[in-house]
Amino acid sequence: MQEGRPLMPGTPSEAQSRHTLMTETPIPRLVTRMAMPTMASMLVTSIYNMADTYFVGMLGQSASGAVGVVFTLMLFIQAIGFTLGMGSGANIAQLLGAKDEETASRIASTGFFTSLLLGLVLAVGGLVFLDPLVYLLGATPTIAPHARAYGSYILIGAPYMAASFVVNNILRSQGNAFWSMIGLTTGGVLNILLDPLFIFVFDMGTAGAALATIVSQLVSFLILLVMVMRHSAARISLRKVHFSYLKRILPVGLPSFYRQGLTSLATILLNRAAGVYGDAAIAAMSIVSRIMGFFFSALIGFYQGFQPVCGFNYGAGLTARVRQAILFCLRVSTIGLCIIAALAIAFAEPLVGLFRQGDTEVIAIGARALRLQAAVLPTMGWAVITNMAHQALGMSAKASLLAIGRQGMFFIPLILLLPLLFGLTGVQLAQPVADLCSFLLAFPFGLSLLRGLKDGSIRRAS
């Protein structure tokens, strides 16, 4: 190699440099380095989702409710992307830790093209059955016209929106979180700029917010794809697609599908339960979901930085570093969540009021729900790290159980039962009670994992 020539992705020198970075850098510095770009990416993504809620909220309660209704569809698109992306990424991290770049490339290619195919199937089916779909998602007759306008554009973008999550995780899995951040941040900023242009200047209303979303998502996808082609040791190629590798991708990725898919189903049930109390209740719970989603995205982004560190070091047989990373993340996230919870409780009304200024009914319903959810937010650090650590280590059965817990085993029964007992208060209580139950479920799993990593009973098979 000529002196001064840049290293090409996948060369032995770059592979060794990546291996040294991931296995020798002190854990606090390494996790922070990996987490900062992923946190920024998740926060920007959440901000432009909130931007849709903010600008559409200016059009009225029904329009604001439509964003919450169609958000369940976006969650399902994310479920496809996260399943294939997290499943591919966790495998790629372990394979690169074991220096097997060829298999990593085959898994990356299979995950990417499968997500495009499934996204296309969803888009076609959703557009054909759009009218019944929006009512299935929880729209009321007054919300439905806005939901149809918003949802039709979101479905058009479904293939590359799902694939974006895969290329994002391919980059993150090998420590290239900075390039992932560039792609997602560019799309997020563009969405914020396009929202008012399409909604108000072009007078497209709710449809304008959706068009802004899919245009920005397309730009983000193209940037991420270029970054993968230039900076990834796991290369994407149609020739490398082997659907037999789905047997390795899906078991690891299914916890993400359960988590996102059940969140989508839970949101549908939440919309239906809130709809009994009018469009104001749907709008209020949608706003609270966005605010809590913003807080939660910071937590998920932090732990997404942890996952490649976990998988890479586990693949390299360094279980002590995996345990150290888990404990570091627990300390940092718990302190951060306590601060966030205190601020949310103190400023609940102003936060909800940002999205529906002067709407006292929406603000009153939303502020109470926000305070209840914020009260249990500090417990989510343990619950999420336990789930994501099991997933990164390939412990799919336990990871799946933990992923099902929050919205499946707990929230869905609670949202069906509590409103019958306590009315609107039951709607507001369902999520915080489910979060507390999720923590209680995860607590013994987390302790067992930490003990196993310490005493050597958990180690990667050679």
Side-chain angles (χ1 to χ4, degrees):
M1 179 178 295
Q2 295 178 354
E3 186 177 356
R5 181 180 177 184
L7 293 173
M8 297 300 291
T11 62
S13 297
E14 180 166 325
Q16 183 57 47
S17 176
R18 182 183 300 108
H19 197 276
T20 301
L21 168 72
M22 297 294 281
T23 59
E24 297 183 13
T25 304
I27 286 296
R29 190 196 316 165
L30 179 60
V31 172
T32 301
R33 174 175 175 170
M34 295 293 105
M36 293 306 291
T38 55
M39 285 181 69
S41 300
M42 290 296 293
L43 286 171
V44 169
T45 301
S46 181
I47 286 171
Y48 74 73
N49 284 334
M50 292 173 72
D52 280 358
T53 303
Y54 175 79
F55 288 113
V56 172
M58 296 180 183
L59 302 175
Q61 282 185 2
S62 297
S64 183
V67 176
V69 167
V70 179
F71 186 61
T72 59
L73 175 61
M74 296 176 70
L75 287 172
F76 192 75
I77 296 171
Q78 290 177 13
I80 295 172
F82 274 132
T83 300
L84 295 165
M86 299 290 272
S88 298
N91 275 286
I92 289 168
Q94 291 193 31
L95 289 164
L96 293 180
K99 302 183 179 181
D100 185 355
E101 294 186 12
E102 177 58 29
T103 305
S105 296
R106 293 180 182 275
I107 285 178
S109 301
T110 302
F112 174 76
F113 286 104
T114 302
S115 67
L116 280 175
L117 178 61
L118 292 179
L120 180 61
V121 171
L122 176 62
V124 173
L127 289 169
V128 170
F129 299 103
L130 183 59
D131 281 349
L133 177 61
V134 296
Y135 284 104
L136 177 65
L137 297 177
T140 63
T142 49
I143 287 175
H146 299 283
R148 280 194 292 268
Y150 194 88
S152 59
Y153 281 102
I154 296 300
L155 285 165
I156 291 170
Y160 59 80
M161 288 171 69
S164 290
F165 291 100
V166 179
V167 290
N168 179 32
N169 277 278
I170 290 171
L171 286 168
R172 289 195 306 100
S173 67
Q174 50 204 295
N176 291 330
F178 175 77
W179 301 116
S180 168
M181 180 188 70
I182 294 297
L184 293 176
T185 301
T186 302
V189 172
L190 182 60
N191 192 95
I192 294 170
L193 295 174
L194 292 179
D195 260 340
L197 179 66
F198 289 164
I199 295 171
F200 303 115
V201 177
F202 294 161
D203 197 25
M204 294 181 65
T206 310
L211 180 59
T213 296
I214 66 167
V215 169
S216 62
Q217 291 270 12
L218 178 60
V219 172
S220 178
F221 167 69
L222 293 174
I223 293 173
L224 288 170
L225 187 58
V226 169
M227 295 301 180
V228 164
M229 302 307 292
R230 291 185 177 180
H231 299 285
S232 174
R235 313 304 294 270
I236 292 177
S237 169
L238 190 59
R239 295 192 304 273
K240 293 181 181 290
V241 174
H242 292 272
F243 289 111
S244 60
Y245 282 103
L246 290 173
K247 295 179 182 178
R248 296 183 63 166
I249 295 171
L250 292 179
V252 180
L254 279 175
S256 294
F257 181 81
Y258 299 145
R259 186 165 52 243
Q260 291 297 117
L262 285 170
T263 299
S264 179
L265 176 58
T267 307
I268 292 172
L269 295 175
L270 175 62
N271 288 332
R272 288 179 172 273
V276 174
Y277 305 96
D279 289 1
I282 294 179
M285 297 309 296
S286 174
I287 290 169
V288 171
S289 295
R290 287 294 193 278
I291 295 171
M292 292 302 297
F294 178 75
F295 299 151
F296 211 68
S297 68
L299 178 65
I300 296 296
F302 182 64
Y303 285 157
Q304 283 182 342
F306 151 81
Q307 277 196 310
V309 175
C310 181
F312 209 106
N313 282 277
Y314 186 65
L318 303 174
T319 54
R321 283 174 61 83
V322 175
R323 186 175 187 273
Q324 186 183 356
I326 294 172
L327 291 172
F328 171 75
C329 289
L330 278 173
R331 287 194 297 270
V332 173
S333 64
T334 301
I335 293 171
L337 290 173
C338 285
I339 295 171
I340 291 170
L343 292 173
I345 291 170
F347 300 102
E349 282 87 0
L351 284 171
V352 176
L354 284 173
F355 301 93
R356 285 294 299 157
Q357 296 178 15
D359 193 329
T360 56
E361 186 179 10
V362 169
I363 292 172
I365 296 171
R368 188 181 188 197
L370 180 58
R371 286 194 172 98
L372 289 169
Q373 291 189 35
V376 299
L377 185 61
T379 67
M380 295 311 297
W382 182 282
V384 176
I385 189 68
T386 301
N387 188 353
M388 297 185 80
H390 280 88
Q391 186 174 10
L393 299 179
M395 301 175 180
S396 56
K398 291 181 179 179
S400 295
L401 175 62
L402 292 167
I404 291 170
R406 182 175 184 247
Q407 301 297 68
M409 290 193 301
F410 302 127
F411 180 82
I412 290 176
L414 287 167
I415 196 62
L416 295 174
L417 175 63
L418 293 183
L420 297 177
L421 299 176
F422 305 111
L424 180 57
T425 300
V427 176
Q428 297 164 319
L429 277 171
Q431 190 63 69
V433 174
D435 288 349
L436 184 59
C437 292
S438 179
F439 165 72
L440 295 174
L441 173 67
F443 190 75
F445 283 91
L447 287 180
S448 177
L449 178 63
L450 290 170
R451 283 197 297 263
L453 290 169
K454 183 177 182 180
D455 64 24
S457 61
I458 295 176
R459 60 169 61 91
R460 185 176 187 268
S462 58

